[in-house]
Amino acid sequence: MPKKYIVIGGVAGGMSAAARLRRLDEDAEIIVFERGEYVSFANCGLPYYIGDTIKERNKLLVQTPEALTARFRVDVRTRSEALSIDPAAHTVRVKDTLRDREYIETYDKLILSPGAEPVKPPIPGIDHPNIYTLWTLPDTDRIKAVVTHRKPRHAIVVGGGFVGLEMAENFHQLDIHVSVVEALDQVMTPLDFEMAALVHQHLRAKNVGLYLSDGVASFADVGGLVRLRLKSGREVTGDIVLLSIGVRPNSKLARDAGLTIGQWGGIVVNDYLQTSDPDIYAVGDAVEIFNPILRRKGQIPLAGPANKQGRMVADNIVQGNVKKYAGTMGTAVAKVFDMTVAATGANEKALAAANIPHTSTIIHPASHAGYYPNALQMAFKVIFSPDTGQLLGAQGVGYDGVDKRIDVIATALHFGAKIQDLQEIEHAYAPPYSAAKDPVNMAGFIGENILTGKVKVIAWDRVEAIMNSPERGDHVLIDTRTPEEVKLGTIPGAVNIPVDALRARLNEIPKDKKIIIFCRVGLRGYIAARILAQKGYAEVYNLSGGYLTYSAATEKPAISQTFDESIDTGMRQSQAAVPMRQQVVEVDACGLQCPGPVMKVKAEMDKLAAGDQLIVKSTDPGFYSDVGSWAKATGNQVVSLNMEKGIVQATIQKGAGEQRIAEPSHGNDKTIIVFDGDLDKAIASFIIANGALAMGRKVTLFFTFWGLTILRKERPIGGLGKNLIEKMFGWMLPRGSKKLGLSRMNMAGMGPLMIRGLMKSRNVDSLEEMIRLALDNGARIIACQMSMDLMGIRKEELIDGVEIGGVATYLECAEHADTNLFI
């Protein structure tokens, strides 16, 4: 007698199982219940349809019910929701939502593939109509309609995972400004922090507002917009909000049927993907699956494993539990703007939580042979056992060739390889595709050196901890790069001894201390470490990943998170007036920090004639906004401005000699430089500012050095990775406007209290009320980026509404003012 199989849930796991069942059993009756309208669609392609990369909606439909019935003779019933299962009777109660009727179906074997659903925590205001989730095709249609017809200007993505960042990119592609809000201190949790830091740099270079370590406290409606109040007290407002903070398994049907549910809320299955009922199997996102690296079960919602599970379940049902599922390692890849981000196995955070000993190596190889054009650098991290070399995981971030290296490591992990085995893996090699020593081989070479004691490595966070602790005196930090490289940045306290001069300067290096060596990416550091080890130095450590990893992980974000289209808009509007160019000069300002790039631009522009063009490249994210301000203030014109692969490139055309742009300033804007941090001077600044605002004037306040203390938040912000000097500034400086003293008659703090008391008694707004009033009325408050860097003040420590800018940004405002005050 023919068997009857029921599959609950389509898409990846369910439809793979149904199709495989038919190929194994031509006579069986196969029914698929899908509560939605679509039984098989490409959910991983949904963000790219919204962003217009995928132009046609029907390309998202992998299979239709009609096609499945015609080819596989599968009875596909959409809009049919399984309400309950009776395992003892082998029946399923189903609701046909199209016809509004319920009925019972029997089965011999049942496959559960109900998937997962987006998490929507009980945050106040979360039901706002402009807050969306993205998981199904109807979700996609709703968001697509919004971006097509309402044309939002600012999108906020809550959650920095794979889907969240893919949507951030696609919103950006539609010329929608994007902010990403993430409760953790990093995006892309499969990565370790120092690898995610490279993604943070790239997002900021794309002008994405990035709010890390700051979850959502509430949502509120503001004239049809959504205002997010974050747990830090900051606020951010957008036209559309995408909630992408994770998914949870749809396990209610299984739970109600009495099947065993695991600690993560997913359906428990055995090695054959069989539930606690022998006639019911389960696959996909609803299942708690075994992780062979961490040796425990968890939730790993990925399409690839779900497809494989569906095929395997069909084999086990028809042939009698013939295949065991080895588990899911979590191999994943995502496109994040220009970057490829990929991971496999476990990261160091997960391994530490599972008490699994581990070590790692970080390298920054090129995507292919360096002498062949367009070789692009990547970051590649491999994690392994410090005792046996057993591979445990890998992560890659870069612009080209990342995915294939992670695939190689994933294959090696699957077959139980060790780090040493990577040395011998044979790759297809030609200069356009790889190097003779592929990055995978290089990771193997370094891993073998670590295991055999040829080199000791130290991680960036350990170096940071040592530099800010009493241990500092026991260590010597040596930068083995050239003096020219060191000028562009180094680790504070490091001594510069280039690797080629090391042997001649051994007398400068004490043997009774621990030596930490670093270069840009680790290669010269390794050579230096080998020299010292063979010269009798007992404890020499090479910084894993070099200064490139260290600087990314400890970077002080400088790009403003304020939504401001004025520079881009002004640039686009002025392009029609570009005169014919005469000469094009290219200049590389990469590695310079504000105001270095602008100063270099000025020096080169001074040499050019009117109509000539300067093409400049810079790795300073702040240059993206500063170059437009500088050009407008000097009578020059930004012809093009873009960010690609972490580099800002601007083309600037020299004007005819005017020192400011032709548009009138009306002669009544006001600019105020606030240099001092005294209470009376701060009050004076904002009295003047609010008076000008009341007269309808534009006001810009530029806070620099001690004036920055006025803008500090009262509460300290932790987890900013400050060094000792920066922490000392934080301890010594007043924390916010309420802690300011007077320039005269401070009287151990009594003076400020008296002034505030008098202001209150005479109904004069407090300083804090004045600041808020100025912001509400459109005052532009700019914190000097250079001063912040010198004093160790971070964006997160400043009150909401403050921009981060450079000298050029302020001077452009001053060019339009008839009053410029220095307080």
Side-chain angles (χ1 to χ4, degrees), residues 176-190:
I176 301 171
H177 180 77
V178 183
S179 293
V180 175
V181 175
E182 171 56 62
L184 300 176
D185 63 351
Q186 66 169 86
V187 300
M188 304 299 265
T189 54

Side-chain angles (χ1 to χ4, degrees), residues 669-675 681 684-689 692 699-704 810 814 817-823:
D669 292 358
K670 314 298 176 187
T671 52
I672 304 172
I673 300 173
V674 185
F675 176 84
K681 295 174 183 176
S685 300
F686 280 96
I687 288 174
I688 295 168
V699 176
T700 300
L701 296 101
F702 186 73
F703 289 78
T704 183
Y810 159 72
D818 64 350
T819 303
N820 184 35
L821 303 178
F822 185 91
I823 298 178

Side-chain angles (χ1 to χ4, degrees), residues 202-237:
H202 189 57
L203 291 171
R204 292 186 178 105
K206 292 295 183 181
N207 205 27
V208 172
L210 194 54
Y211 298 80
L212 299 175
S213 302
D214 212 354
V216 179
S218 65
F219 299 96
D221 181 84
V222 183
L225 304 178
V226 187
R227 175 168 292 171
L228 285 69
R229 178 172 289 277
L230 307 184
K231 292 183 178 178
S232 66
R234 290 184 294 185
E235 293 182 347
V236 56
T237 303

Side-chain angles (χ1 to χ4, degrees), residues 192 294 296 346-358 383 392:
D192 287 311
L294 298 176
R296 65 187 184 193
N347 59 28
E348 291 198 89
K349 296 187 297 288
L351 291 165
N355 294 315
I356 297 175
H358 58 277
I383 308 169
L392 299 172

Side-chain angles (χ1 to χ4, degrees), residues 85 127 163 166 220 262 289 425 463 570 592 674 685 691 710 747 777:
I85 303 167
D127 293 324
V163 175
E166 286 170 349
I289 210 69
I425 288 181
V463 173
L592 299 179
V674 185
S685 300
I710 300 169
M747 295 184 294
N777 284 287

